[in-house]
Amino acid sequence: MKTSTHEVPFDTASAVLPDTMSAVLPDTMSAVLPDEAAALVAKFHEQFGAIRTEVRKVIVGQDDVVEHLLLTLLIGGHCLITGMPGTAKTLLVRTLADALGLTFKRVQFTPDLMPTDITGTDIIEDDITTGHRRWTFVPGPIFTHVLLADEINRTPPKTQAALLEAMQEHSVTVRGTTHSLRPPFFVLATQNPIELEGTYPLPEAQLDRFVFNVLLDYLDAADEVEVVHRNTTRMQPPPIAACTSAEEIVKYQWLVRQVPVAEEITQLAVQMVRSTRPGEAGAPEAVRRYVRYGASVRATQFLCLAAKARALMQNRYHVTEDDLRALALPVLRHRVLTNYQAESDGMSVDAVLKEVIAR
């Protein structure tokens, strides 16, 4: 069957791979003058400051989680959110999408969910004027800017795999026809860490597609009191103003990639990731004892790219060691596989990685 590629003509379509970012940027973006680049940086800081302000209207605390989600967006990646029920995962994602001025769709992953329920399908339509029938593609919820894959580990692997092509290739193939997505495309997948019955753990190949695995923890006492006060005095959340647009976000994704990284910082990132592999000469004792498989080269790429975005968000135009150390845990925790000895000794992945980062 011959495979063809075309763009789906619908209003909410969006996505593209970071590696193909140049294909969707205006031609003038490849040669931005210094003054124009400086103006773009200034606008970036203004808009992302406004985004944080809008999100705080609804979301109490969780500033680190919001930062990680914004970093994921800025590098054109995807994020896995692990949190207990009732920690406002869905509300956070919806609020962030509204503040970014992006379209949002939510898919509740269940055991009976089919791949076409996500990607869309071809249907036969009758042309009344000619009497002929034709195939028409009906896009699924994946054709959006921000896709919330709620409880992604509750659906079988076949349906989970339907996301793989979209996350990696930023396209969807149905009946031999590849439908391209336009940027930006942002998958946020949630997992419940305590309810394991009836779940299908994500395979390592799919976990590796996520830039971060962010832990959404309980709020502290003061923030929890604030949440209770807000819920008892407001009938509905306040309106969220859109602070940017899809076109501007694509420009900011380009801007992030222009942030320079010193050779020493790149070498440090490589050493940090290589230290998670038990067969590596410089691996810490905790890694040799408790780790079965370490992180791949993709982890190093994501770590450096996320560090660029973090530097820009903090009004810096160079990457530091602090950027790498601050992002190493969410980048690596879902890419390092511990062994039975770690489970026996009560050694978590985070505990092992903290030793790596400390070195």
Side-chain angles (χ1 to χ4, degrees):
M1 181 179 294
K2 185 178 180 180
T3 300
S4 60
T5 303
H6 68 276
E7 195 168 272
V8 179
F10 61 93
D11 294 337
T12 59
S14 10
V16 81
L17 264 178
D19 293 341
T20 58
M21 192 66 68
S22 59
V24 297
L25 286 170
D27 294 337
T28 55
M29 286 296 294
S30 60
V32 175
L33 299 175
D35 291 344
E36 294 173 337
L40 188 61
V41 170
K43 188 176 182 181
F44 169 88
H45 287 294
E46 178 185 353
Q47 290 187 334
F48 274 78
I51 289 169
R52 291 192 184 94
T53 300
E54 291 298 314
V55 171
R56 290 190 184 112
K57 290 181 181 179
V58 176
I59 303 298
V60 178
Q62 308 294 5
D63 289 342
D64 289 342
V65 176
V66 173
E67 178 178 297
H68 287 138
L69 296 185
L70 291 174
L71 290 175
T72 306
L73 175 72
L74 285 171
I75 66 177
H78 314 284
C79 186
L80 186 64
I81 305 174
T82 304
M84 302 287 285
T87 50
K89 297 186 291 294
T90 302
L91 180 62
L92 171 60
V93 176
R94 183 184 294 274
T95 302
L96 186 61
D98 290 342
L100 291 167
L102 302 178
T103 57
F104 167 82
K105 289 185 180 179
R106 174 179 178 269
V107 177
Q108 183 64 49
F109 279 65
T110 57
D112 60 346
L113 191 71
M114 299 298 292
T116 53
D117 294 332
I118 302 172
T119 61
T121 186
D122 282 327
I123 63 172
I124 297 179
E125 284 189 343
D126 290 323
D127 191 332
I128 301 177
T129 57
T130 63
H132 293 220
R133 292 183 175 183
R134 64 177 181 178
W135 288 100
T136 301
F137 179 67
V138 179
I142 202 170
F143 292 95
T144 184
H145 292 123
V146 180
L147 176 69
L148 174 60
D150 210 358
E151 295 189 293
I152 190 174
N153 58 336
R154 289 208 165 276
T155 197
K158 182 178 181 180
T159 305
Q160 291 176 3
L163 282 177
L164 277 179
E165 181 187 3
M167 292 173 62
Q168 186 67 18
E169 307 296 336
H170 288 218
S171 62
V172 170
T173 301
V174 178
R175 295 183 65 252
T177 300
T178 300
H179 306 277
S180 299
L181 306 173
R182 287 173 288 179
F185 178 59
F186 188 33
V187 174
L188 295 177
T190 67
Q191 286 191 134
N192 184 340
I194 61 171
E195 197 172 348
L196 300 179
E197 185 176 353
T199 61
Y200 304 84
L202 294 175
E204 277 64 33
Q206 186 161 350
L207 283 173
D208 205 38
R209 262 68 176 182
F210 291 97
V211 176
F212 295 128
N213 181 6
V214 176
L215 302 183
L216 196 59
D217 207 352
Y218 293 117
L219 296 171
D220 59 36
D223 287 340
E224 196 163 342
V225 168
E226 176 63 21
V227 170
V228 173
H229 284 323
R230 290 188 183 187
N231 288 342
T232 56
T233 57
R234 288 198 308 227
M235 294 297 295
Q236 59 184 6
I240 302 298
C243 303
T244 184
S245 65
E247 293 75 15
E248 289 174 325
I249 288 173
V250 172
K251 293 180 182 180
Y252 296 145
Q253 289 176 339
W254 171 89
L255 182 65
V256 164
R257 291 172 178 268
Q258 311 313 307
V259 176
V261 181
E263 181 64 25
E264 293 79 4
I265 299 299
T266 302
Q267 292 180 2
L268 178 61
V270 171
Q271 292 171 6
M272 189 177 294
V273 174
R274 291 180 68 90
S275 294
T276 66
R277 303 166 191 169
E280 190 68 23
E285 178 60 28
V287 172
R288 295 176 180 273
R289 185 175 183 182
Y290 296 120
V291 174
R292 185 180 179 186
Y293 296 109
S296 67
V297 178
R298 184 181 282 139
T300 313
Q301 294 175 303
F302 279 152
L303 181 58
C304 289
L305 193 53
K308 286 187 174 191
R310 185 177 187 269
L312 196 61
M313 288 184 68
Q314 296 195 354
N315 203 20
R316 285 184 283 105
Y317 311 107
H318 63 281
V319 178
T320 67
E321 293 184 16
D322 290 340
D323 294 320
L324 298 181
R325 299 184 195 282
L327 299 173
L329 207 55
V331 168
L332 295 174
R333 65 161 52 103
H334 57 299
R335 294 183 165 89
V336 174
L337 185 63
T338 53
N339 55 26
Y340 292 110
Q341 184 67 36
E343 185 177 356
S344 175
D345 293 351
M347 193 72 167
S348 66
V349 173
D350 281 20
V352 174
L353 290 175
K354 285 176 182 178
E355 292 197 22
V356 173
I357 297 170
R359 291 189 58 181

